[in-house]
Amino acid sequence: SNLTYAELKHAGRNFNYSGKYLDIGENFGTVLAFVPRTDIRQTEHEVRYMWDLPDTTFLQQMSSELRGVVTRDHRNVVQDWMFVGELGLRTKYSINMSLMNVNSYEYYAGKGFQKHGNGMVLDSQLLKWLNLIFIAGTDTAINYTPAAGQDASLNNSRNFTLILGFKPHSQFRLDETLLYNQLRSKDAMVGQAQDSLIYRDLLFRSKLSYQHNRFLGLRMVIDYHHLQTNPLLTGIKAGKQLNKDLQLS
């Protein structure tokens, strides 16, 4: 029962590197520490290079980043791995964009699943009182909760997140968040055609904050959650839920 951790970092003006190694024994005691996994040997590397561009151009900075992590157990069986390539763009108009390609593997329920996907992140603050974040992606994902009698399978996932932040006054802030995620069948199965809906998850959140002074503030959060499922392909239960929270501090 042991835990070993090592980290190596280099931070420069243009080039950055980070390397990590983590070894957690199979019988490591987790009572006094939050350790989500045991019996792993994990290596992680991250390399990033940034180019500063002339101020006269639309682009101010470009960056290229590669990240990789591999996890094995102490029997040397690969549990998961992930490799990410990312291109970052920063402009002089407070518009930042990242484009990503992700390839990964996961050993789950006695089977190996190889996944891949692409995504983008757009962050803009053209106006002082308005901030916009948009995240979208498509990838292959595991159906971890299949219907009774079915095995976990690899399917097609689409998702996006939209966050709008309004700050018309220094004391007021309104954040509107929309989270959308759906999983559709990659192949025909159990009488369902290819590209059949497995589940569609929609979450809308509205958060209003008011800070009267350093000591007194008010926050109100409203969440609306709508989950639509196909009972022939997943064991997840469909439903709708509205939650309200009011805090005075």
Side-chain angles (χ1 to χ4, degrees):
S1 57
N2 65 295
L3 186 150
T4 304
Y5 177 79
E7 183 174 359
L8 177 65
K9 279 188 174 183
H10 169 78
R13 178 178 175 85
N14 298 102
F15 177 75
N16 293 276
Y17 167 79
S18 172
K20 301 176 183 178
Y21 175 77
L22 176 64
D23 188 329
I24 303 177
E26 184 175 2
N27 299 316
F28 180 77
T30 60
V31 177
L32 300 178
F34 176 71
V35 180
R37 301 171 66 181
T38 59
D39 188 24
I40 62 168
R41 289 193 178 106
Q42 186 178 83
T43 56
E44 181 177 352
H45 299 274
E46 180 176 320
V47 179
R48 186 182 189 194
Y49 192 86
M50 294 175 289
W51 295 266
D52 292 316
L53 303 177
D55 292 337
T56 56
T57 62
F58 173 74
L59 289 176
Q60 284 192 329
Q61 189 180 80
M62 292 179 59
S63 63
S64 178
E65 185 172 332
L66 296 174
R67 300 190 299 272
V69 56
V70 179
T71 307
R72 302 173 180 267
D73 63 18
H74 286 80
R75 291 171 291 280
N76 208 34
V77 176
V78 176
Q79 300 299 301
D80 56 66
W81 54 258
M82 181 174 65
F83 295 98
V84 180
E86 181 176 344
L87 174 66
L89 305 172
R90 185 166 65 87
T91 76
K92 63 179 180 180
Y93 298 110
S94 300
I95 301 175
N96 304 318
M97 177 181 289
S98 296
L99 303 174
M100 291 162 286
N101 176 261
V102 182
N103 289 275
S104 62
Y105 167 88
E106 182 177 349
Y107 185 75
Y108 176 76
K111 296 171 62 178
F113 297 91
Q114 190 161 341
K115 302 174 284 184
H116 61 273
N118 299 287
M120 65 162 289
V121 178
L122 178 66
D123 184 349
S124 171
Q125 195 167 10
L126 283 172
L127 303 173
K128 291 183 178 180
W129 55 270
L130 176 63
N131 176 245
L132 179 148
I133 299 175
F134 179 71
I135 305 170
T138 61
D139 58 4
T140 48
I142 301 173
N143 181 8
Y144 294 101
T145 314
Q150 298 178 31
D151 295 328
S153 59
L154 196 64
N155 298 279
N156 295 321
S157 173
R158 306 181 185 101
N159 59 82
F160 73 83
T161 300
L162 177 63
I163 303 173
L164 293 175
F166 302 92
K167 195 171 183 180
H169 189 272
S170 60
Q171 293 175 296
F172 288 93
R173 181 175 179 87
L174 176 64
D175 293 296
E176 303 290 344
T177 302
L178 178 65
L179 304 175
Y180 178 86
N181 181 30
Q182 74 166 358
L183 190 66
R184 306 189 75 92
S185 61
K186 191 175 181 181
D187 304 300
M189 60 179 73
V190 295
Q192 300 290 290
Q194 181 185 11
D195 200 39
S196 293
L197 178 69
I198 299 176
Y199 66 77
R200 180 181 293 119
D201 193 15
L202 176 66
L203 174 66
F204 175 74
R205 172 173 296 164
S206 182
K207 183 172 71 172
L208 176 64
S209 302
Y210 169 69
Q211 194 67 38
H212 182 69
N213 53 40
R214 290 177 54 192
F215 309 102
L216 183 62
L218 180 69
R219 190 183 72 168
M220 182 176 65
V221 179
I222 299 176
D223 280 348
Y224 174 70
H225 187 198
H226 183 194
L227 178 61
Q228 180 183 354
T229 64
N230 183 345
L232 297 177
L233 297 178
T234 179
I236 301 174
K237 303 298 182 183
K240 301 178 183 179
Q241 191 172 17
L242 179 65
N243 296 318
K244 292 165 286 185
D245 182 42
L246 182 64
Q247 294 182 359
L248 179 65
S249 60

